[in-house]
């Protein structure tokens, strides 16, 4: 049976013709139960730690990053909030370039949101916040505003139903990179950073 014949039969079953426009999809409606911040924080911390990541809930982002770096070299994304928190002026931190990211020990980015239920970070990639900053260095440090700790992906998509408006991609990062071979031997850091620090500011 030809493709046109199959499509004709489908249209006929739906009561449409070849010139009929498809009906618009129904509007999504989610009712999210509010979750207190402390409960979201504990759920997020538990999820990240279960994945061998670290969560720092500090008001002083700069000193926390300095402690994590401990003399290691780092590249920093060009997100305005990172400049506002003076992350780009820490000793050993250099601007992001592809070449710098390939040799740096740490990549520092902003995560627009954190998702409590899975311990994931939502990063909207752009020219100021390239994906390689969180992918190439063996350690990733992500800073996120405390008020942007959400319950989960449903809440994120409720806030951003078209997440690619203004971003080249939406990257969901869940723990350090890990992979396992056929013998189920787990190895971290093969396809991305093997060390992840999340700083809630």
């Amino acid at each position: 049976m030809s493709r046109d014949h199959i499509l004709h039969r489908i249209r006929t079953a739906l009561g449409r013709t070849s010139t009929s426009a498809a009906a618009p999809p129904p509007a999504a409606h989610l009712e999210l139960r509010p979750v207190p911040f402390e409960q979201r924080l504990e759920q997020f911390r538990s999820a990240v730690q279960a994945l061998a990541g670290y969560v720092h809930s500090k008001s002083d982002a700069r000193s926390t990053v300095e402690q994590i770096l401990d003399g290691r070299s780092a590249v920093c994304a060009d997100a305005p909030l990172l400049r506002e928190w003076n992350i780009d002026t820490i000793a050993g931190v250099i601007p992001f370039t592809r070449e710098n990211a390939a040799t740096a020990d740490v990549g520092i980015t902003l995560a627009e949101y954190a998702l409590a239920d899975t311990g994931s970070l939502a990063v909207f990639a752009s020219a100021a916040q390239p994906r390689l900053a969180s992918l190439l260095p063996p350690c990733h440090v992500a800073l996120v505003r405390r008020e942007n700790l959400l319950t989960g992906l449903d809440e994120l998509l409720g806030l951003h139903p078209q997440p690619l408006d203004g971003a080249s991609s939406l990257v969901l990062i869940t723990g350090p990179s890990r992979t396992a071979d056929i013998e189920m031997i787990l190895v971290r850091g093969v396809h991305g950073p093997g060390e992840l620090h999340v700083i809630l500011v």
Side-chain angles (χ1 to χ4, degrees):
M1 294 168 50
S2 71
R3 175 179 178 275
D4 291 340
H5 182 62
I6 292 171
L7 293 176
H8 171 73
R9 291 184 61 185
I10 293 171
R11 280 192 293 266
T12 302
L14 294 174
R16 292 168 38 199
T17 67
S18 59
T19 58
S20 299
H29 179 68
L30 295 173
E31 292 187 7
L32 300 173
R33 179 177 59 88
V35 178
F37 175 80
E38 290 303 324
Q39 185 177 337
R40 278 179 279 144
L41 176 58
E42 182 56 34
Q43 187 180 19
F44 179 73
R45 189 187 304 276
S46 297
V48 173
Q49 289 175 346
L51 296 164
Y54 304 91
V55 177
H56 311 266
S57 185
K58 304 286 183 65
S59 58
D60 187 352
R62 180 185 170 88
S63 65
T64 306
V65 172
E66 287 175 332
Q67 292 171 11
I68 294 170
L69 294 185
D70 192 26
R72 292 185 287 183
S73 63
V75 290
C76 185
D78 194 31
L81 272 177
L82 296 180
R83 293 196 303 272
E84 180 182 319
W85 292 327
N86 296 314
I87 304 302
D88 58 331
T89 61
I90 294 174
V93 174
I94 56 178
F96 172 85
T97 66
R98 183 184 294 265
E99 293 74 19
N100 288 345
T103 59
D105 299 314
V106 182
I108 304 171
T109 70
L110 178 73
E112 279 77 9
Y113 296 96
L115 309 181
D117 57 353
T118 59
S120 301
L121 299 171
V123 179
F124 290 90
S126 65
Q129 180 115 295
R131 286 175 293 180
L132 289 181
S134 65
L135 181 64
L136 281 183
C139 174
H140 177 205
V141 176
L143 291 84
V144 59
R145 286 184 178 275
R146 291 168 65 88
E147 58 265 31
N148 289 348
L149 175 56
L150 309 179
T151 55
L153 188 60
D154 287 347
E155 187 174 0
L156 173 62
L157 294 178
L159 293 171
H160 295 275
Q162 301 293 332
L164 296 186
D165 286 352
S168 60
S169 65
L170 168 59
V171 183
L172 297 176
I173 300 170
T174 307
S177 170
R178 58 185 62 211
T179 189
D181 62 14
I182 195 169
E183 296 178 353
M184 299 303 291
I185 298 173
L186 185 66
V187 181
R188 292 197 193 102
V190 175
H191 304 296
E195 182 181 349
L196 173 68
H197 294 266
V198 181
I199 304 173
L200 293 167
V201 184

